[in-house]
Amino acid sequence: MENWRSSAHRLLRLCSNHPSGYRFSRMVRKSAHSEVLCRHEGAFTQIQPPILQKKRHFELYSHHLPLRWVIGKTPGTQSRYFCFMATKIERNSTFAQLNSDDISYFKKFLGEKNVIQEEDALLAANIDWMHKYRGSSKLLLQPRSTEEVSQILKYCNSRRLAVVPQGGNTGLVGGSVPVFDEVIVNVSLMNNIISFDKVSGVLVCEAGCILENLISFLDNQGFIMPLDLGAKGSCQIGGNVSTNAGGLRLLRYGSLHGNVLGLEAVTANGEVLDMLSTLRKDNTGYDLKHLFIGSEGSLGIVTKVSILTPPKLSSVNVAFLACKDYFSCQKLLLEAKRKLGEILSAFEFLDEQSMTLALNYLEGVRNPLPPPLHNFYILIETTGSNESYDKEKLEAFLLGAMERDLISDGIVAQDIQQASSVWRIREGIPEALTRAGVTYKYDLSLPVDKINDLVKEMRNRLGNLATVVAYGHLGDGNLHLNISASQYDDAILAQIEPFVYEWTSKNQGSISAEHGLGLMKANKILYSKSPLTVQVMASIKKLLDPNGILNPYKVLPQSMVA
Amino acid sequence: MENWRSSAHRLLRLCSNHPSGYRFSRMVRKSAHSEVLCRHEGAFTQIQPPILQKKRHFELYSHHLPLRWVIGKTPGTQSRYFCFMATKIERNSTFAQLNSDDISYFKKFLGEKNVIQEEDALLAANIDWMHKYRGSSKLLLQPRSTEEVSQILKYCNSRRLAVVPQGGNTGLVGGSVPVFDEVIVNVSLMNNIISFDKVSGVLVCEAGCILENLISFLDNQGFIMPLDLGAKGSCQIGGNVSTNAGGLRLLRYGSLHGNVLGLEAVTANGEVLDMLSTLRKDNTGYDLKHLFIGSEGSLGIVTKVSILTPPKLSSVNVAFLACKDYFSCQKLLLEAKRKLGEILSAFEFLDEQSMTLALNYLEGVRNPLPPPLHNFYILIETTGSNESYDKEKLEAFLLGAMERDLISDGIVAQDIQQASSVWRIREGIPEALTRAGVTYKYDLSLPVDKINDLVKEMRNRLGNLATVVAYGHLGDGNLHLNISASQYDDAILAQIEPFVYEWTSKNQGSISAEHGLGLMKANKILYSKSPLTVQVMASIKKLLDPNGILNPYKVLPQSMVA
């Protein structure tokens, strides 16, 4: 193992000028709607105004559409276009327009200060994190209890006022902001921890609890949340559940469908569905809570959550490895699952192009491995209860992998600083992409053995037009496919779409691994779901929200739910 | 640790006359409908005719009802009573009666031999494992493909012929047998493994695959199923999914809602819903598969399953410990989760009364710990990838627990034989109960800190009338509450029901932790679910099965879906 040790020392030397670790002291901003923030695949980084300008140009003008079509507030019947592939949306004319009687009604039971009409506050709530989607809502309501949420929805449903549920507003697909003039219902004030049972590890809390606050609360109790996201400083557990957030711990702890034990949700007509079980086992009837997990607020507003939390484990180890080909990456994943089994907590990959970007554009980042560059890099993290056992287990696994020629080189981080530096490479790629130019970004799930096939095909299609950069959560089959170019160009886009969706569909992949459909991909659902299942979804939408007031224009094609 | 070692040696000595281990060579029968079998909490044991007679007496006559009311086949409008609390059910008169044209139609596309009308075969398919429920179906269909299932249901729906989906028929709540003359659709012939991906660990197979066959298949690949049941020799994966089977590995690997990645299901009108994703991450629309997990075949017939399988780990350790009080059991669970964390795979408990029964009624079972008896016993199992590390970790945990006075005595099994002997005590309790007399059995989920409160209250209520025996999956909050008596007595029953359901309900428990509702508890769902959620369930039932032909009389109260 001496080879590994010396590599690790090399890492330490090279990293001596690094900023403090990224993953272990990640910069996360709270409620920073008014700040210039850019989010990619779970990591937030503050970006400079010039870059933002370039980004806005991309996001808002990529189809050479005049600004007014995109974020302008045109009265009456409106139409809007959104990149990448333009989608025309018209306001549902069955929805009522807000009037002064409505405002008076809300003020009566919510109180003046929780019925928000100020322009600045509305501006922040009308725009998403990426500044890509912008609604024109004139009203933001902040209920303090489930009963108030119920009363709001009951009224809105009877009046046919459309509603957009909003948590931390950290979504990436335009799901959490109005499209037109929907009433924004933000549950931020419902942020109480209701109970925590140290024996079972079950936490019950209100939907507005910020994820990071829950993580801190649990840390004091010796537990962790089964999910962790770059957006944790702002995102709320109700939003996490409503979007079935994936994040960094999915490989180890599984999805929210497995970890959420219970929910309370309010349906469009104001009925409160009490599904707030705290039990690991409960086979009494249909498990309705799963309908609300990942339905992006279109079936109901989640108001309380019960979640199973794992105990906190003290030992974390990180290795950064090089593989000569994608087949070796796959074999390594198999071996890691088998040999590291119960302690494996991350298996991330990046390709040579990703590494090149990181080295060229991320300040202070150095390659922990000597040149030349390798075709693929794998980041493995283990989390367990005994540091020396875990370290030895990891090293034995690595020795075996080297003997089988699965890895060409690698290092094991010797402390948190080194581990942070390694994570910085992986998590810094989105930032590097932003600095390198413009990016066409795709968040795809694919069978692990197909991932590199798509990357290769995309490179063939694009030739010298753009650079294809591939990285992601290989352990979860989640590819972040990024096409980097100097500027947006319809010729490039035409080579990517709809090819990327069609290829993903043909290979039984998902066009949204963890970001959801929102407004951006509502009309693309058929790439990943069969027409019959989408019809059933639409029937369920109509059953639970007959007037379609909840988060309209999102998740499902408008034509199927109108 | 020498104390533990010597205890283990004592176990070895005492166990020298044992039959071979129970858990590691569990006796499971395949398709043994015609044999005298009795199943309790996941374990099958062959019981002697005299005991069966007593059992039948209990199950069929406990309300002093004449046999004809219970299993008799009375023509026309029928009514039936089932213990414990009698439930009157009438045949839904909107359902058609089978005629010769129907038979001819089915024979045309299923072939003669898959349209079964022979009395013996029908008898087996009409009776459940426990011989507690018996239907009077005249037709058993055995489709060979999804298309055939679809064609059957399309026809039955158009004709309003009621259908009961059947897998291995190992359910315990009367969910898998007809109540009246429903057509039985058994998917046993659909038993192909479709694919297995060693990199992702995703298995795709047909619904009729027997669980044990899947376990064997995966074993050869170095993987395991994330669920394991006593019924594995007969139960089928489609049935497991349809009933959201819990089993022995839930503590470690979680429920099927987390592990099932995709499903194919046929709805009542014959439509095939393709939800057969093999992806860990897919956030494109409502995750409909969860509706079919645990809905007991009342929303559709599951025809294919995609499931995430964990890699097989080589090291298994077992400890058997004594605790002086229930509070210590809870603290021990907390410590085990924290210290054993990633390797903890079982945390089972039994009380003094359970141990007394095991010692008195199970042949060859000896107490591995010296007298006197302790108030509680805990069985801890770890499963990991490195035997020496895991053993040391377990012993360090035990030492800490002893130092904190959480455990009064205990042993660590030194080999599989010893581990089997310890498991035999825990898993033999249902058998011991059967030998001791008659049993009122309740499968409950409760917050862990409430479990012993119910046991104590039950003891207070019953006094000398009966013996209260408590054991179960403490790590999952699953109590198997058993009231043991010399004979059935309405005075005892009146002390138990509805108290046990009311108490469970009041304490946010579930009246069915893992067995489902079936016919037995369809009318008791409101003890565990709110009226509004049950209404939504009924609406979904009507949406997906407007004629109510799928598994009628089960899961939901008849009055809500008629």
Side-chain angles (χ1 to χ4, degrees):
Chain A
M1 293 320 292
E2 276 318 293
N3 194 19
W4 296 98
R5 300 271 179 204
S6 61
S7 299
H9 284 298
R10 181 165 61 237
L11 172 71
L12 185 61
R13 198 172 58 248
L14 289 171
C15 293
S16 58
N17 295 326
H18 272 205
S20 70
Y22 190 70
R23 180 180 168 78
F24 291 87
S25 59
R26 213 177 301 133
M27 180 182 67
V28 180
R29 303 195 161 271
K30 294 185 185 180
S31 307
H33 294 294
S34 59
E35 295 194 52
V36 181
L37 286 173
C38 169
R39 183 193 174 178
H40 308 275
E41 285 82 50
F44 287 94
T45 53
Q46 190 158 8
I47 56 173
Q48 302 306 311
I51 296 171
L52 180 79
Q53 285 308 320
K54 196 182 282 179
K55 197 146 195 66
R56 282 174 63 95
H57 174 80
F58 152 57
E59 288 167 1
L60 305 179
Y61 301 95
S62 70
H63 283 79
H64 313 294
L65 299 168
L67 181 59
R68 66 186 164 82
W69 286 111
V70 185
I71 61 167
K73 301 171 190 175
T74 51
T77 306
Q78 302 173 348
S79 64
R80 281 153 196 258
Y81 292 82
F82 298 90
C83 62
F84 295 99
M85 300 304 270
T87 304
K88 187 176 177 182
I89 297 167
E90 295 199 11
R91 184 179 181 280
N92 182 338
S93 60
T94 67
F95 293 147
Q97 306 271 356
L98 200 69
N99 63 34
S100 58
D101 287 349
D102 301 327
I103 304 291
S104 305
Y105 177 81
F106 290 128
K107 283 184 175 173
K108 251 190 290 179
F109 72 94
L110 291 172
E112 289 275 343
K113 70 172 182 173
N114 295 321
V115 178
I116 295 165
Q117 297 177 282
E118 290 77 34
E119 211 160 286
D120 281 356
L122 280 173
L123 186 68
N126 267 306
I127 304 179
D128 76 320
W129 277 94
M130 297 282 284
H131 288 225
K132 185 173 169 185
Y133 301 96
R134 176 170 170 167
S136 50
S137 176
K138 300 292 186 202
L139 185 64
L140 165 63
L141 302 178
Q142 292 194 301
R144 293 155 297 186
S145 66
T146 301
E147 293 65 36
E148 288 186 353
V149 174
S150 167
Q151 204 168 340
I152 290 169
L153 290 187
K154 195 174 175 184
Y155 181 83
C156 288
N157 193 47
S158 69
R159 277 274 293 126
R160 294 213 175 203
L161 286 167
V163 167
V164 55
Q166 191 175 78
N169 194 13
T170 62
L172 295 174
V173 289
S176 58
V177 289
V179 179
F180 298 97
D181 57 347
E182 300 92 288
V183 174
I184 303 167
V185 178
N186 186 302
V187 296
S188 303
L189 299 182
M190 297 170 61
N191 58 2
N192 294 304
I193 289 171
I194 297 166
S195 66
F196 179 66
D197 178 353
K198 282 184 87 155
V199 176
S200 64
V202 178
L203 172 76
V204 183
C205 64
E206 289 184 310
C209 288
I210 289 173
L211 180 58
E212 192 167 52
N213 294 347
L214 296 177
I215 291 171
S216 302
F217 169 83
L218 288 171
D219 190 60
N220 290 330
Q221 310 283 327
F223 287 78
I224 61 167
M225 284 293 280
L227 79 160
D228 188 10
L229 310 174
K232 64 184 168 187
S234 300
C235 69
Q236 298 169 8
I237 189 68
N240 297 149
V241 167
S242 297
T243 55
N244 188 30
L248 304 167
R249 291 181 179 155
L250 191 133
L251 175 71
R252 175 65 168 268
Y253 298 110
S255 87
L256 289 174
H257 284 285
N259 293 310
V260 170
L261 299 180
L263 287 183
E264 179 188 77
V266 184
T267 53
N269 62 1
E271 284 184 341
V272 180
L273 293 187
D274 177 1
M275 306 166 286
L276 201 59
S277 170
T278 54
L279 307 167
R280 286 204 70 169
K281 284 171 153 180
D282 176 20
N283 280 352
T284 54
Y286 312 154
D287 203 342
L288 296 180
K289 68 172 179 279
H290 295 286
L291 281 178
F292 298 88
I293 300 175
S295 59
E296 306 181 40
S298 66
L299 295 180
I301 298 184
V302 171
T303 46
K304 293 193 184 93
V305 174
S306 157
I307 190 163
L308 185 66
T309 70
K312 186 178 159 189
L313 300 175
S314 56
S315 152
V316 178
N317 290 295
V318 173
F320 190 74
L321 315 169
C323 291
K324 64 180 184 301
D325 52 34
Y326 186 71
F327 185 70
S328 300
C329 299
Q330 289 183 69
K331 295 279 280 182
L332 196 65
L333 173 58
L334 187 64
E335 278 300 292
K337 282 186 174 180
R338 185 155 303 149
K339 297 281 170 55
L340 300 173
E342 69 277 14
I343 60 168
L344 182 65
S345 57
F347 194 101
E348 301 283 313
F349 90 108
L350 47 140
D351 63 4
E352 184 187 343
Q353 289 76 1
S354 302
M355 178 61 106
T356 303
L357 271 173
L359 296 176
N360 289 347
Y361 291 96
L362 297 181
E363 206 181 332
V365 161
R366 301 284 180 275
N367 190 347
L369 305 177
L373 288 180
H374 298 264
N375 289 327
F376 293 94
Y377 297 90
I378 299 288
L379 188 160
I380 289 178
E381 185 191 77
T382 66
T383 308
S385 56
N386 186 304
E387 195 161 345
S388 62
Y389 294 165
D390 293 355
K391 249 192 194 343
E392 285 170 34
K393 206 178 272 187
L394 176 62
E395 290 184 355
F397 153 74
L398 292 172
L399 197 61
M402 283 196 87
E403 279 166 3
R404 293 181 59 193
D405 203 25
L406 298 181
I407 44 182
S408 327
D409 200 353
I411 59 105
V412 176
Q414 297 301 303
D415 55 33
I416 280 185
Q417 198 73 357
Q418 289 185 23
S420 299
S421 301
V422 168
W423 268 110
R424 169 70 177 142
I425 298 171
R426 161 63 189 86
E427 293 205 293
I429 304 166
E431 189 186 331
L433 278 161
T434 308
R435 293 182 196 276
V438 301
T439 317
Y440 300 83
K441 300 180 79 68
Y442 299 89
D443 166 40
L444 309 168
S445 260
L446 283 167
V448 173
D449 63 348
K450 300 287 183 190
I451 283 180
N452 201 45
D453 296 345
L454 174 59
V455 177
K456 285 192 289 188
E457 285 211 41
M458 197 55 89
R459 286 204 176 110
N460 285 340
R461 288 178 70 85
L462 286 164
N464 292 326
L465 276 175
T467 306
V468 179
V469 176
Y471 62 95
H473 319 287
L474 197 68
D476 304 328
N478 189 177
L479 164 68
H480 292 307
L481 178 70
N482 290 262
I483 319 295
S484 177
S486 56
Q487 58 185 10
Y488 290 110
D489 181 346
D490 281 353
I492 296 175
L493 189 60
Q495 287 301 312
I496 305 173
E497 295 189 23
F499 171 79
V500 67
Y501 292 128
E502 288 170 353
W503 199 98
T504 301
S505 178
K506 199 176 69 185
N507 287 284
Q508 285 77 52
S510 168
I511 60 158
S512 184
E514 55 185 5
H515 297 169
L517 295 170
L519 177 64
M520 180 184 171
K521 299 180 199 166
N523 285 320
K524 297 188 172 61
I525 190 171
L526 290 169
Y527 282 115
S528 285
K529 292 288 159 71
S530 72
L532 272 178
T533 59
V534 179
Q535 268 174 30
V536 173
M537 291 180 205
S539 303
I540 286 172
K541 168 72 176 172
K542 286 176 192 167
L543 179 73
L544 292 178
D545 180 15
N547 297 331
I549 62 158
L550 274 176
N551 222 2
Y553 323 108
K554 320 274 178 72
V555 188
L556 298 173
Q558 204 49 18
S559 57
M560 299 186 74
V561 290
Chain B
M1 293 318 293
E2 275 317 293
N3 194 19
W4 296 98
R5 302 269 180 202
S6 62
S7 297
H9 285 299
R10 182 163 61 239
L11 173 69
L12 186 62
R13 197 171 60 247
L14 287 171
C15 292
S16 58
N17 295 326
H18 272 206
S20 69
Y22 190 68
R23 180 181 167 77
F24 290 86
S25 58
R26 214 176 300 132
M27 179 181 67
V28 180
R29 304 199 159 268
K30 296 183 187 181
S31 307
H33 294 295
S34 58
E35 295 194 51
V36 180
L37 287 173
C38 167
R39 183 192 175 180
H40 308 276
E41 287 82 51
F44 286 94
T45 52
Q46 191 160 7
I47 56 174
Q48 301 307 311
I51 296 172
L52 178 80
Q53 285 308 322
K54 198 182 280 179
K55 195 145 196 66
R56 284 175 62 96
H57 175 81
F58 153 57
E59 287 168 359
L60 306 178
Y61 301 95
S62 69
H63 282 79
H64 312 295
L65 299 167
L67 182 58
R68 67 189 164 81
W69 286 111
V70 184
I71 61 166
K73 303 171 192 174
T74 53
T77 305
Q78 303 175 347
S79 63
R80 282 153 194 258
Y81 291 82
F82 298 90
C83 64
F84 294 100
M85 300 305 271
T87 304
K88 188 175 177 182
I89 296 167
E90 294 199 11
R91 184 179 181 281
N92 182 337
S93 60
T94 67
F95 293 146
Q97 306 272 355
L98 201 69
N99 63 33
S100 57
D101 287 350
D102 300 327
I103 305 290
S104 304
Y105 178 82
F106 290 128
K107 283 185 175 172
K108 251 190 289 178
F109 71 94
L110 291 171
E112 288 275 342
K113 70 173 183 174
N114 295 322
V115 177
I116 295 165
Q117 296 177 283
E118 290 76 34
E119 210 160 287
D120 280 357
L122 281 172
L123 187 68
N126 266 306
I127 303 178
D128 79 319
W129 276 93
M130 296 285 281
H131 288 225
K132 186 173 169 183
Y133 301 97
R134 177 170 170 165
S136 51
S137 176
K138 300 292 185 203
L139 184 63
L140 166 64
L141 302 178
Q142 293 195 300
R144 292 155 297 186
S145 67
T146 301
E147 293 66 36
E148 288 185 354
V149 174
S150 168
Q151 203 168 340
I152 290 169
L153 290 188
K154 194 172 176 186
Y155 181 82
C156 287
N157 194 47
S158 69
R159 277 274 293 127
R160 295 214 174 202
L161 286 168
V163 167
V164 56
Q166 191 175 79
N169 194 12
T170 61
L172 295 174
V173 289
S176 58
V177 290
V179 180
F180 297 97
D181 57 347
E182 299 93 287
V183 175
I184 303 167
V185 178
N186 187 303
V187 295
S188 303
L189 299 183
M190 296 170 62
N191 59 2
N192 294 304
I193 289 172
I194 297 166
S195 67
F196 179 66
D197 177 355
K198 282 184 87 156
V199 176
S200 64
V202 177
L203 172 76
V204 183
C205 64
E206 289 185 310
C209 287
I210 289 173
L211 180 58
E212 193 167 50
N213 294 346
L214 296 177
I215 291 170
S216 302
F217 170 82
L218 289 171
D219 190 61
N220 290 330
Q221 311 283 329
F223 286 78
I224 60 166
M225 284 294 280
L227 79 160
D228 187 11
L229 310 173
K232 64 183 168 188
S234 299
C235 68
Q236 297 169 8
I237 189 67
N240 296 151
V241 168
S242 297
T243 56
N244 189 29
L248 304 166
R249 291 180 180 154
L250 192 133
L251 175 70
R252 176 65 168 269
Y253 298 109
S255 88
L256 288 175
H257 284 286
N259 293 310
V260 170
L261 298 181
L263 287 183
E264 179 189 77
V266 184
T267 53
N269 62 0
E271 283 183 342
V272 180
L273 293 187
D274 177 1
M275 306 165 287
L276 200 60
S277 170
T278 54
L279 308 167
R280 287 203 70 169
K281 284 171 153 180
D282 176 20
N283 280 351
T284 54
Y286 312 154
D287 203 342
L288 296 180
K289 68 171 179 277
H290 295 287
L291 280 178
F292 298 88
I293 300 174
S295 59
E296 305 180 41
S298 66
L299 296 180
I301 297 183
V302 170
T303 46
K304 294 193 183 91
V305 174
S306 156
I307 190 163
L308 184 67
T309 70
K312 186 178 160 189
L313 301 174
S314 55
S315 152
V316 177
N317 290 295
V318 173
F320 190 74
L321 315 168
C323 292
K324 64 180 184 300
D325 52 34
Y326 187 71
F327 185 71
S328 301
C329 298
Q330 288 183 69
K331 296 278 280 180
L332 197 65
L333 173 58
L334 187 63
E335 280 299 293
K337 281 185 175 180
R338 185 155 301 147
K339 297 281 169 57
L340 301 173
E342 69 276 17
I343 60 169
L344 183 64
S345 57
F347 194 100
E348 302 283 314
F349 90 109
L350 47 140
D351 63 3
E352 184 187 342
Q353 290 75 1
S354 302
M355 178 60 108
T356 304
L357 271 172
L359 296 176
N360 288 348
Y361 291 97
L362 297 180
E363 206 181 331
V365 162
R366 300 284 181 276
N367 190 347
L369 306 176
L373 287 179
H374 298 264
N375 289 327
F376 293 94
Y377 297 90
I378 299 288
L379 187 160
I380 289 177
E381 185 192 75
T382 66
T383 307
S385 56
N386 186 303
E387 194 160 346
S388 63
Y389 294 164
D390 292 356
K391 249 191 193 344
E392 285 170 34
K393 206 177 274 186
L394 177 63
E395 290 184 355
F397 153 73
L398 292 172
L399 197 61
M402 283 197 85
E403 279 167 3
R404 294 181 60 194
D405 202 24
L406 298 181
I407 44 182
S408 327
D409 201 353
I411 60 105
V412 177
Q414 298 302 303
D415 55 33
I416 280 184
Q417 198 73 356
Q418 288 185 23
S420 299
S421 301
V422 169
W423 268 110
R424 169 70 176 143
I425 298 171
R426 162 61 189 87
E427 292 205 294
I429 303 165
E431 187 186 333
L433 278 161
T434 307
R435 293 181 196 276
V438 301
T439 317
Y440 301 81
K441 301 180 79 70
Y442 300 89
D443 166 40
L444 310 168
S445 260
L446 283 168
V448 174
D449 63 346
K450 299 287 183 191
I451 283 179
N452 200 46
D453 294 347
L454 174 59
V455 177
K456 285 192 289 188
E457 283 211 44
M458 197 54 88
R459 286 205 175 109
N460 285 341
R461 288 179 69 86
L462 285 163
N464 293 326
L465 276 176
T467 306
V468 178
V469 177
Y471 62 95
H473 319 287
L474 198 67
D476 305 328
N478 189 177
L479 164 67
H480 292 307
L481 178 69
N482 290 262
I483 318 295
S484 176
S486 58
Q487 59 187 10
Y488 291 109
D489 181 346
D490 281 353
I492 295 175
L493 189 60
Q495 287 302 310
I496 306 172
E497 294 189 25
F499 171 80
V500 67
Y501 292 128
E502 288 170 353
W503 200 97
T504 301
S505 178
K506 199 175 69 186
N507 288 282
Q508 286 75 51
S510 169
I511 61 159
S512 184
E514 55 185 5
H515 296 170
L517 295 170
L519 178 64
M520 181 182 171
K521 299 180 196 168
N523 286 318
K524 297 188 172 62
I525 189 170
L526 290 169
Y527 282 115
S528 285
K529 292 287 159 71
S530 72
L532 272 179
T533 59
V534 179
Q535 269 175 29
V536 174
M537 290 179 206
S539 303
I540 286 172
K541 167 72 176 172
K542 285 176 191 167
L543 179 73
L544 292 178
D545 179 16
N547 297 332
I549 62 158
L550 274 176
N551 223 1
Y553 323 109
K554 321 273 177 72
V555 189
L556 298 173
Q558 205 47 19
S559 58
M560 298 186 74
V561 288

